[in-house]
Amino acid sequence: MSANDSLKAAAKFYELPELPNGKALLLKAAPTSGKKPKPDTEAPRLGARVKKVYLDREWVRAYNQVCGFGEDYISLTAPQVIASPLHMYLMSRPEHPMPMLGMVHLHNSIELIKPLEYSTAYDVVVKIGDTRTIPQGLEFDVHTEFLKDDEVHWRGTMSILCRVKGMPKPAGKPAPAEGLNAIGAQYIGIKVPESQGRKYAKVSNDYNPIHLYAQTAKMFGFKQAIAHGMWTAAKSLSLLEPQLGKPATSFALSFKQPVFLPSGVVLKHADVNGARAFEVLAERDSKVLMVGQVA
């Protein structure tokens, strides 16, 4: 399906002249806190596109400095961040039935089909996909594509949870996931300073209060500020990719628990069927915070 057909298949789609302002959208999201979705609510199939988006070299350098990549390297995670204002635009729309603030980022899968270049103008397309019911609430997908001449060069799917009371409870508890075998695993310690959320906010434009200060995070039920999930993902990728011996083309991850600021975490990783499987563990008690795979 072409980008044009994909957008036309959406319930509503919007052509924007440029990427929206993330800070302004965060302010716009505040009134959405009054939305109260029900267990049978579904996110509408909204879509949006911005044409002729160039990757800004100076922005990439600033992003890479915060996340640990080489100076001019266009990482797998960078396009996800570039497109984030479009995600916010759709989720703050009046017809989107869920409050944007307070949502929980659960999963990400990213695929690079062709290398991205600074000199290329890309169309950035974002679409809201399926909604699923899970015990904690409603989970829905947000799809993102970077295209040149209607050909996808990069794609990603982000799954988001909106907590809803009164969801059906499962008949029994699911079996615990099998952890990464310690035999042959390697470990990298990472210190995450109290200021990490503010540093990442400057390059991501994600100034969600839960990431900035302990005082603002407590307003949303957190005992401390928490790191941006996509910073934790990018930092992990920057340390894992050299283990592959060549640039990664796929990255899949699931967030399990927040990374508090400040704290120490441990990146545990091992080769599994030619890919690099990993877990991010809390330094203090080895609690699993994030799991994934790079290939």
Side-chain angles (χ1 to χ4, degrees):
M1 183 182 287
S2 71
N4 283 324
D5 292 339
S6 182
L7 279 174
K8 288 176 181 177
K12 287 187 180 181
F13 72 93
Y14 302 90
E15 296 277 8
L16 305 182
E18 60 184 3
L19 291 170
N21 182 292
K23 285 184 180 179
L25 285 170
L26 196 59
L27 293 173
K28 184 180 176 182
T32 70
S33 60
K35 294 180 178 180
K36 304 295 182 185
K38 298 178 180 179
D40 60 350
T41 298
E42 287 197 18
R45 301 275 183 145
L46 304 178
R49 174 171 58 187
V50 177
K51 295 181 178 180
K52 296 183 179 179
V53 174
Y54 289 88
L55 280 72
D56 182 272
R57 190 183 296 268
E58 291 307 311
W59 178 86
V60 170
R61 287 175 173 171
Y63 173 79
N64 288 349
Q65 185 174 17
V66 172
C67 298
F69 297 107
E71 186 177 33
D72 290 318
Y73 179 57
I74 301 171
S75 71
L76 282 179
T77 52
Q80 179 81 23
V81 180
I82 292 169
S84 61
L86 273 183
H87 305 151
M88 296 171 67
Y89 174 82
L90 291 182
M91 289 188 286
S92 63
R93 295 287 312 169
E95 58 267 45
H96 186 73
M98 305 174 197
M100 192 172 85
L101 293 180
M103 288 189 183
V104 181
H105 190 169
L106 294 181
H107 315 286
N108 252 92
S109 63
I110 294 171
E111 180 186 8
L112 181 68
I113 296 96
K114 289 190 175 182
L116 300 178
E117 301 172 337
Y118 287 109
S119 57
T120 298
Y122 296 99
D123 289 356
V124 180
V125 175
V126 171
K127 299 165 287 184
I128 293 180
D130 292 339
T131 301
R132 297 172 291 277
T133 58
I134 60 175
Q136 298 91 340
L138 300 169
E139 178 185 345
F140 66 95
D141 296 329
V142 180
H143 304 286
T144 306
E145 294 176 337
F146 277 60
L147 305 100
K148 178 187 176 186
D149 300 327
D150 216 26
E151 181 183 7
V152 178
H153 284 215
W154 179 101
R155 65 163 57 98
T157 297
M158 173 174 60
S159 299
I160 298 175
L161 167 67
C162 176
R163 296 189 186 278
V164 177
K165 293 181 179 179
M167 300 300 295
K169 300 300 179 186
K173 290 186 177 181
E178 188 175 337
L180 192 60
N181 197 322
I183 299 174
Q186 301 176 47
Y187 299 83
I188 303 172
I190 306 169
K191 295 297 182 184
V192 190
E194 185 272 338
S195 60
Q196 190 62 63
R198 298 189 293 278
K199 290 178 181 177
Y200 186 75
K202 288 181 179 179
V203 295
S204 68
N205 257 334
D206 182 352
Y207 285 89
N208 190 317
I210 64 175
H211 302 304
L212 303 181
Y213 299 96
Q215 298 94 318
T216 54
K218 286 176 182 176
M219 295 165 57
F220 294 88
F222 293 95
K223 63 181 181 180
Q224 295 168 251
I226 63 173
H228 295 75
M230 286 309 295
W231 175 83
T232 307
K235 183 65 177 179
S236 300
L237 178 62
S238 74
L239 295 169
L240 292 167
E241 205 166 23
Q243 308 292 329
L244 299 175
K246 56 184 178 181
T249 56
S250 68
F251 187 32
L253 58 98
S254 294
F255 299 103
K256 301 297 184 182
Q257 297 285 340
V259 174
F260 289 107
L261 304 176
S263 68
V265 298
V266 176
L267 180 63
K268 177 184 178 182
H269 60 98
D271 183 79
V272 177
N273 300 323
R276 209 73 195 168
F278 70 92
E279 296 174 344
V280 175
L281 309 174
E283 184 181 69
R284 183 169 56 88
D285 56 10
S286 297
K287 184 181 291 183
V288 178
L289 309 178
M290 186 174 78
V291 300
Q293 183 172 284
V294 185

